[in-house]
Amino acid sequence: MRNGLSRDLASAPAVVRRSPAKPRWAFRAAAGSSTVVLATLVVMAAACSSGEPGTTLRVALWAGGHELEIERQVADRYEALHPGVRVVLESAPNGYEERLLTSIAAGRPPDVYLLDSPDIPTFAERGLALDLAPYREALDFRPDSVFAQVADAFRRGESMFALPKDFTPMVLYANRGVLANAGVEDLLPVSPAPATGWTWTDFRRAAEAVVADTDGDGRDDVFGFDFPRNLYQWIPFVWSAGGDILAPGGSGTSGYLDGPEALEAYRFLTSLAEDGLTPGAQFVQQGDPAREARFASGGQAFLLSGHWTLPVFRDLVAAGALDLAIVPIPHHPSRAAATGVLYASGWAVPPNAPNLRRAIDLAGFLASPEAQRIRARSGLAIPSRMDVAEEIAAADGTGVEDAFIALVEGARMTWGARVRDFSRIEALAVEIMDRRLVRGESLAASAADVARRIDAEFGW
Amino acid sequence: MVSGVRQPVLDSLAAVVLAAGLALVLVVAADRVEGARVSAAESEARMAAALWELEGGSGAAAAGLLGERATTTRADAGGAGPGPGAYAYEAGALDPAVWIAVTPRPADGPRRALPITAIAIALAGLTLVTGWVLARRRGPARTRHPVGIALLSVGCIALTAVAAGRWADRELRSLSGATAVQGARAVEIALQIGADLAEAARVAQLPWAQDQSLDSPTEQWTMPAAVAAAIAASPERDVETSAGNDAISLDAANAAAPTTQETDAGAPPIAPHTVEADGATWHVARSADVHVAFLGYERTASPALALAAAGGLAGLLVALALHLAQLASRPRVLGRTLAAWGLLSPAAALILAFTLGPLLFSLWISLHEWRLIDPAPLFLGFDNYAALLRDREWWSAIGNTALFTLHVPAAMAVALALALLTRGSRRALRWARLALFLPGITSVAAIAVVWKWLLSDQYGLLNRGLERAGLGSVPWLTSPDTALASLMIIGIWMVVGYQMVVFQAGLAAIPRDWYDAARVDGAGPWQRFRHITLPGLRHTLFFVLVTSIIGSFQVFGLVYVMTEGGPLGATDVAVYHIYREAWEFLQFGNAAAMSWLLFVVVFAATWLHFRFLDARRAHG
């Protein structure tokens, strides 16, 4: 068929931007140069094989290193189940958005692609993701088998624009050893959920207690935390103070981003940096590149991150070199509990995929329990299916997976899954606390200024 | 060798090239309209396939939508043919059951099938030029007016392109309305065969919305909120039947699907209307409770850019042919010209395809709003440029770039000093030159990562050294006051090796005699440097200055890896700003406009340097 479908399904021009700071890059951080070589070989193989008979399905994803090897195992399994079908993984751990968008603009989209939660509004509104709801039964996909917030992220009314792959909440990793050395281990919540009684006050006390200059050079070398500069990191603190950054419909920031609860959260977080409980802030998206190493080596008590960081610590935990606890985001003392944030990804199919049913079938398989079980070996995220996630948690002797799952309840999906151009809001919102830490400006004034600029830019 | 008999041949060539150029323009327009017809047929085929699946494979509903224009064949008995069509699947099957081929909708009569006005203009122009060719064959060449003929030819091509474009636009609008109507018809048929509203709406295979949802456009998904709001506010919203505002489209649609009238006997024809939303015209048709909205082919398949390119190319070739015709009386010049063009053509083709083409495309994009996955750019004129003039962040980035460029003279001074110090053939000097040159050939990303660690506040070697020396640490990359300066220092470190090598080449070109004579005259080292070395290096200095400034205006890698433009925009330089605008915020129109403004700034700086040098030469 000629490639007229994408044009037909296209919607009106609207603002679309990529999200700059997402946990996704953290997934990608695991990818090394070998991945690039492997991905190149895969792409070359795909290019060379274009003339071969049989059905070839191209899958775009951002896996790298070990994760890509595991995705290959999933693809191999599909090929084994469907003789004559070849699955080519086109992975781009770096520059995924550029490659995906370019392939779509060039009229040669992949058959199946990985859709990140902040991309859902853009792709679904422009008709670039097929509504998979009519195929639910054929794919044996039941939305109620998936964590509710994750299923909702990809759903609009009756439509379903991607089949959930996996997800993660943002949690606090706690180094019990560091806390025990400072004698404040008992401040940690006993169980990760419900996240009650673990307040900002407790968190700050614990963070203060661990700060120390262990080598006597006049500089502190153990810290409580590292400054969460990006919106995707600090938004649960705003929620856990009872506030939000956007109006309920997602159409306005004034009164929210600069609201009293949000200001409380900014004040709390900046005070951690200003009072020396964190190392100096790094004004880049990735934040402090040494944070994970510092945490693992006992130089930091708390680390704010997602499930993707867990594989980094697994060996240390197994070797007894790291006593790890997963705890929730602390909440404001006036609130009863914290509200965490979730980030998810799903398998989407472009409406003009050349082998549409095969592509839908492959997407279904990639989201299936079997694929999720294989994928869980990477340990980078929580499987979207509740039964698989529980199986994995049951098999995990450390209790860490249980802790993660316990934190899903009471967490919200990122606003990016609902609000188009959320990356622009993220890019501007990062200024609020930067201006305080760099120039000493008033948080209220900078938050009001940023909210005004966002509203003006979005026409709210 | 070229002989005199080529005069009429070359004259005729001009006419032939003109004919070919005019034909190219007409073919471009006709091809685009034909492409849209095929796309429309594919849309209809998908609707038919969806109906086929909904109905469980009887094919009656598909026939009801398309009549004799649809042909259904089993997928395992030939499958997809060369024309437009779509596969339909049985429930749960992964392999298609049937291929529904659809004949593209015919144009409504011969007048609408051809760009008559454009053809008339083309024929008139061709006749005039052919007349000129014939007259030239009979009379002396000097009595003719090739410039006038050239202008006539180019004007004829331009008028033809405009007329063909207008025709294509009308055709595409007509097709768009008809496609929306077919979507609404498909919905109607789906409802008749028992589908619920959501299923029926999906059959339309176009962006859609249920009527009741239009009242809360924020809840809409597949249809942009602005479009749903525009439909809700449209006076035609509640008009299910009317004469229609595009009678031709409607007639064409009705004529193409006679059986629809039978399945829906007594029902009035569906009338499309248009709404303006998000800077585009949407074709809307309503059936039952479903509005089908379709972004027209006049946006998604507009031949404007292709016509401009084809017209420009045709005009260029005609001008070239006429130029050759003028040279026919001078065979030696003609021979040399042809040989030169022949030799240049491969390089010219490459430049045209990979340099000039993308440049012109970026210029075109800069006049539009385009986000890469938009179906078609929205023409804005010079709005992007006007907005940039008021964009404080952009001018801040330009200011930072200009500040960063100040490292160039400092780097040149250091490089010149090093060039003088490391001159010679001793082994130690050779190693020193190699060491100094290495940063210039090392990956910028690798350099940036290493420097980022060296300059780290907490763990950086530099700060540890400073602290040991009792000087206190410096926030190299985390303070707006120092971040750009830090990048400038790294910039100097990166370029001095290369500049040093260039300076040494320049120094080698200065005759030793001059230095010997100066020594004999009693000139000291400073006087020799001031009066011999510097003037002798003038051209080298100018070359290094201009290329380094251009290079520094394009700084990207260091910023991308080390600071991401921060803190608080202190290192946000022009190219990084452009990158973010394009790939992070998908504002490709803005980014292209920024690129052109940056080009103007760099060009102006280079031009001023040249002017300065010329003035110095004249003065000297």
Side-chain angles (χ1 to χ4, degrees):
Chain A
M1 286 207 307
R2 294 269 295 266
N3 182 32
L5 185 58
S6 61
R7 292 193 299 241
D8 297 349
L9 285 169
S11 5
V15 187
V16 185
R17 293 157 182 138
R18 258 294 341 135
S19 180
K22 291 294 168 304
R24 186 190 313 134
W25 61 256
F27 281 90
R28 297 172 188 165
S33 56
S34 59
T35 308
V36 176
V37 173
L38 189 60
T40 310
L41 290 175
V42 167
V43 171
M44 285 171 67
C48 294
S49 67
S50 57
E52 288 179 8
T55 304
T56 298
L57 298 172
R58 295 161 49 232
V59 180
L61 68 170
W62 59 72
H66 183 51
E67 188 189 4
L68 183 58
E69 287 171 21
I70 288 178
E71 291 297 346
R72 187 62 253 172
Q73 291 171 20
V74 176
D76 289 345
R77 178 72 186 132
Y78 185 80
E79 287 178 349
L81 291 171
H82 299 84
V85 177
R86 189 161 163 268
V87 179
V88 175
L89 300 182
E90 297 182 352
S91 188
N94 294 306
Y96 175 73
E97 300 86 353
E98 284 93 330
R99 280 192 57 174
L100 179 62
L101 293 173
T102 308
S103 70
I104 290 170
R108 195 171 177 271
D111 293 281
V112 179
Y113 61 90
L114 202 47
L115 183 63
D116 199 10
S117 40
D119 292 330
I120 302 167
T122 298
F123 278 71
E125 278 200 23
R126 278 177 163 64
L128 301 172
L130 186 74
D131 177 10
L132 297 169
Y135 307 97
R136 265 189 221 142
E137 280 183 27
L139 299 174
D140 194 21
F141 175 78
R142 286 184 300 110
D144 59 0
S145 66
V146 172
F147 287 92
Q149 305 99 312
V150 180
D152 286 347
F154 298 100
R155 205 159 48 185
R156 296 296 180 275
E158 292 299 311
S159 300
M160 187 92 187
F161 290 102
L163 300 173
K165 172 181 175 260
D166 49 26
F167 73 104
T168 179
M170 291 296 281
V171 302
L172 277 181
Y173 289 77
N175 187 326
R176 277 209 193 97
V178 174
L179 293 163
N181 287 342
V184 289
E185 193 187 3
D186 58 336
L187 286 174
L188 288 180
V190 179
S191 67
T196 54
W198 170 233
T199 65
W200 290 0
T201 314
D202 300 326
F203 176 71
R204 187 179 165 104
R205 274 180 59 205
E208 270 174 345
V210 301
V211 174
D213 172 14
T214 55
D215 58 7
D217 67 351
R219 290 158 46 108
D220 291 330
D221 40 37
V222 180
F223 298 93
F225 196 38
D226 66 283
F227 179 66
R229 174 179 180 257
N230 299 299
L231 189 152
Y232 83 87
Q233 296 169 306
W234 55 251
I235 192 168
F237 286 88
V238 176
W239 288 343
S240 299
D244 207 336
I245 60 162
L246 285 164
S251 57
T253 59
S254 287
Y256 294 88
L257 189 67
D258 56 347
E261 297 88 357
L263 289 175
E264 284 261 326
Y266 307 148
R267 278 190 205 104
F268 172 68
L269 293 171
T270 50
S271 73
L272 298 177
E274 287 169 338
D275 298 344
L277 310 190
T278 70
Q282 302 291 312
F283 299 99
V284 288
Q285 279 178 17
Q286 282 174 296
D288 188 343
R291 59 201 291 265
E292 286 165 6
R294 189 168 53 231
F295 173 80
S297 61
Q300 186 171 320
F302 295 104
L303 180 75
L304 178 65
S305 192
H307 198 286
W308 64 82
T309 307
L310 197 54
V312 178
F313 300 141
R314 279 228 183 261
D315 290 344
L316 291 170
V317 172
L322 176 63
D323 188 2
L324 188 68
I326 303 298
V327 295
I329 305 287
H331 58 83
H332 190 274
S334 68
R335 307 287 299 177
T339 305
V341 62
L342 301 175
Y343 297 96
S345 60
W347 298 106
V349 175
N352 55 342
N355 299 288
L356 194 64
R357 279 282 176 97
R358 288 270 176 208
I360 294 168
D361 186 61
L362 174 59
F365 179 78
L366 293 173
S368 69
E370 183 178 2
Q372 296 205 5
R373 281 188 194 100
I374 299 172
R375 194 175 293 119
R377 290 174 202 156
S378 75
L380 284 168
I382 303 173
S384 62
R385 286 186 62 113
M386 288 185 284
D387 52 352
V388 179
E390 279 158 16
E391 276 174 35
I392 303 299
D396 173 41
T398 64
V400 167
E401 296 293 348
D402 269 330
F404 265 97
I405 291 174
L407 292 175
V408 176
E409 193 181 344
R412 285 172 58 179
M413 188 52 66
T414 170
W415 268 116
R418 291 277 157 186
V419 178
R420 208 167 57 171
D421 301 339
F422 192 65
S423 63
R424 190 67 183 159
I425 295 175
E426 287 183 304
L428 287 168
V430 84
E431 270 188 31
I432 297 171
M433 289 193 279
D434 278 7
R435 280 161 69 167
R436 169 72 185 187
L437 295 178
V438 173
R439 292 192 197 136
E441 287 183 31
S442 143
L443 284 167
S446 39
D449 176 53
V450 169
R452 180 188 53 74
R453 281 160 57 199
I454 291 173
D455 287 354
E457 195 164 316
F458 281 73
W460 289 335
Chain B
M1 290 295 294
V2 177
S3 69
V5 297
R6 278 174 173 74
Q7 174 82 50
V9 173
L10 290 170
D11 287 350
S12 305
L13 179 67
V16 169
V17 169
L18 176 63
L22 292 167
L24 177 68
V25 167
L26 294 171
V27 165
V28 163
D31 179 66
R32 194 57 66 93
V33 171
E34 189 53 32
R37 277 192 215 290
V38 171
S39 287
E42 283 174 351
S43 291
E44 291 175 311
R46 285 192 300 277
M47 294 174 201
L51 286 171
W52 189 94
E53 289 167 10
L54 192 67
E55 203 180 25
S58 86
L65 180 72
L66 294 163
E68 292 175 356
R69 287 172 55 218
T71 311
T72 303
T73 52
R74 288 194 58 79
D76 54 8
Y87 281 118
Y89 296 76
E90 284 167 356
L94 292 180
D95 293 314
V98 295
W99 168 257
I100 300 177
V102 175
T103 309
R105 181 184 300 280
D108 184 27
R111 275 184 60 79
R112 289 183 64 85
L114 292 168
I116 301 296
T117 312
I119 291 171
I121 294 169
L123 286 176
L126 197 59
T127 307
L128 284 171
V129 173
T130 308
W132 170 77
V133 168
L134 294 173
R136 248 172 96 88
R137 289 183 69 175
R138 286 200 298 271
R142 295 171 69 84
T143 60
R144 310 301 166 214
H145 306 285
V147 175
I149 288 296
L151 288 175
L152 174 72
S153 302
V154 171
C156 175
I157 290 169
L159 281 175
T160 305
V162 169
R166 287 171 63 86
W167 166 80
D169 188 65
R170 276 197 309 276
E171 283 294 291
L172 295 176
R173 278 178 198 279
S174 169
L175 270 175
S176 304
T179 303
V181 167
Q182 284 295 76
R185 261 190 228 293
V187 169
E188 212 163 67
I189 294 170
L191 289 171
Q192 283 171 10
I193 57 179
D196 65 28
L197 212 55
E199 284 172 329
R202 284 199 188 98
V203 168
Q205 302 282 305
L206 299 168
W208 59 273
Q210 289 186 19
D211 198 38
Q212 58 266 34
S213 304
L214 295 177
D215 295 330
S216 57
T218 54
E219 293 303 315
Q220 277 307 306
W221 197 247
T222 52
M223 179 179 288
V227 181
I231 293 172
S234 164
E236 287 98 336
R237 179 190 169 193
D238 297 319
V239 181
E240 283 191 61
T241 58
S242 75
N245 57 0
D246 193 343
I248 297 167
S249 309
L250 187 57
D251 293 344
N254 291 339
T259 49
T260 303
Q261 304 298 321
E262 292 161 19
T263 49
D264 193 16
I270 298 166
H273 65 277
T274 57
V275 297
E276 300 291 329
D278 262 6
T281 300
W282 289 75
H283 297 264
V284 179
R286 181 184 178 188
S287 178
D289 285 336
V290 176
H291 279 270
V292 172
F294 177 58
L295 182 55
Y297 293 114
E298 67 274 16
R299 275 289 307 282
T300 59
S302 169
L305 188 63
L307 280 174
L313 183 66
L316 197 69
L317 291 175
V318 168
L320 182 65
L322 286 167
H323 174 61
L324 293 178
Q326 278 304 100
L327 294 179
S329 58
R330 290 181 288 166
R332 286 170 64 89
V333 177
L334 177 62
R336 282 204 303 271
T337 304
L338 283 173
W341 277 108
L343 291 169
L344 285 172
S345 55
L350 281 176
I351 290 171
L352 201 66
F354 297 110
T355 305
L356 197 60
L359 265 177
L360 292 176
F361 183 64
S362 78
L363 184 63
W364 182 78
I365 283 296
S366 75
L367 305 176
H368 294 74
E369 181 181 337
W370 189 44
R371 288 162 180 132
L372 201 63
I373 50 175
D374 285 341
L378 175 66
F379 182 71
L380 295 178
F382 290 97
D383 286 5
N384 284 332
Y385 291 94
L388 279 187
L389 295 178
R390 301 186 299 271
D391 184 347
R392 281 190 309 170
E393 288 180 11
W394 165 246
W395 289 110
S396 166
I398 288 285
N400 288 337
T401 312
L403 272 178
F404 180 81
T405 302
L406 292 180
H407 85 277
V408 170
M412 287 175 66
V414 175
L416 184 54
L418 290 171
L420 292 167
L421 288 171
T422 59
R423 266 200 303 183
S425 56
R426 277 183 296 168
R427 181 184 293 260
L429 292 175
R430 286 207 300 267
W431 280 106
R433 284 200 294 269
L434 177 65
L436 288 166
F437 190 68
L438 275 178
I441 54 169
T442 308
S443 151
V444 176
I447 286 173
V449 168
V450 171
W451 273 100
K452 194 171 174 177
W453 279 105
L454 285 174
L455 299 179
S456 163
D457 291 0
Q458 189 73 19
Y459 306 104
L461 195 65
L462 218 55
N463 270 350
R464 283 297 165 112
L466 288 172
E467 284 169 10
R468 289 278 165 89
L471 296 172
S473 63
V474 176
W476 296 104
L477 299 174
T478 53
S479 164
D481 302 327
T482 51
L484 191 63
S486 302
L487 295 187
M488 289 166 74
I489 291 168
I490 301 166
I492 291 171
W493 178 78
M494 284 172 64
V495 299
V496 286
Y498 165 76
Q499 293 185 352
M500 176 195 73
V501 170
V502 177
F503 284 141
Q504 283 185 337
L507 287 170
I510 301 173
R512 295 277 338 153
D513 299 354
W514 293 3
Y515 289 103
D516 294 341
R519 273 198 199 90
V520 169
D521 288 345
W526 169 248
Q527 285 170 311
R528 290 199 298 276
F529 176 76
R530 167 78 180 79
H531 296 291
I532 297 176
T533 306
L534 276 185
L537 280 178
R538 192 179 57 213
H539 295 294
T540 310
L541 284 166
F542 179 74
F543 168 77
V544 171
L545 183 70
V546 170
T547 54
S548 298
I549 285 179
I550 292 173
S552 73
F553 264 94
Q554 295 170 346
V555 62
F556 174 76
L558 279 182
V559 175
Y560 181 72
V561 177
M562 294 184 72
T563 61
E564 296 173 7
L568 287 177
T571 58
D572 185 20
V573 292
V575 177
Y576 182 71
H577 196 86
I578 291 169
Y579 168 81
R580 285 193 81 192
E581 196 70 12
W583 287 109
E584 203 168 299
F585 307 131
L586 296 186
Q587 300 281 355
F588 280 82
N590 266 349
M594 287 172 183
S595 301
W596 276 94
L597 278 185
L598 181 66
F599 166 75
V600 168
V601 170
V602 174
F603 182 82
T606 312
W607 182 75
L608 283 173
H609 281 124
F610 274 106
R611 293 286 297 175
F612 176 71
L613 191 73
D614 288 347
R616 288 287 298 269
R617 273 193 194 134
H619 187 67

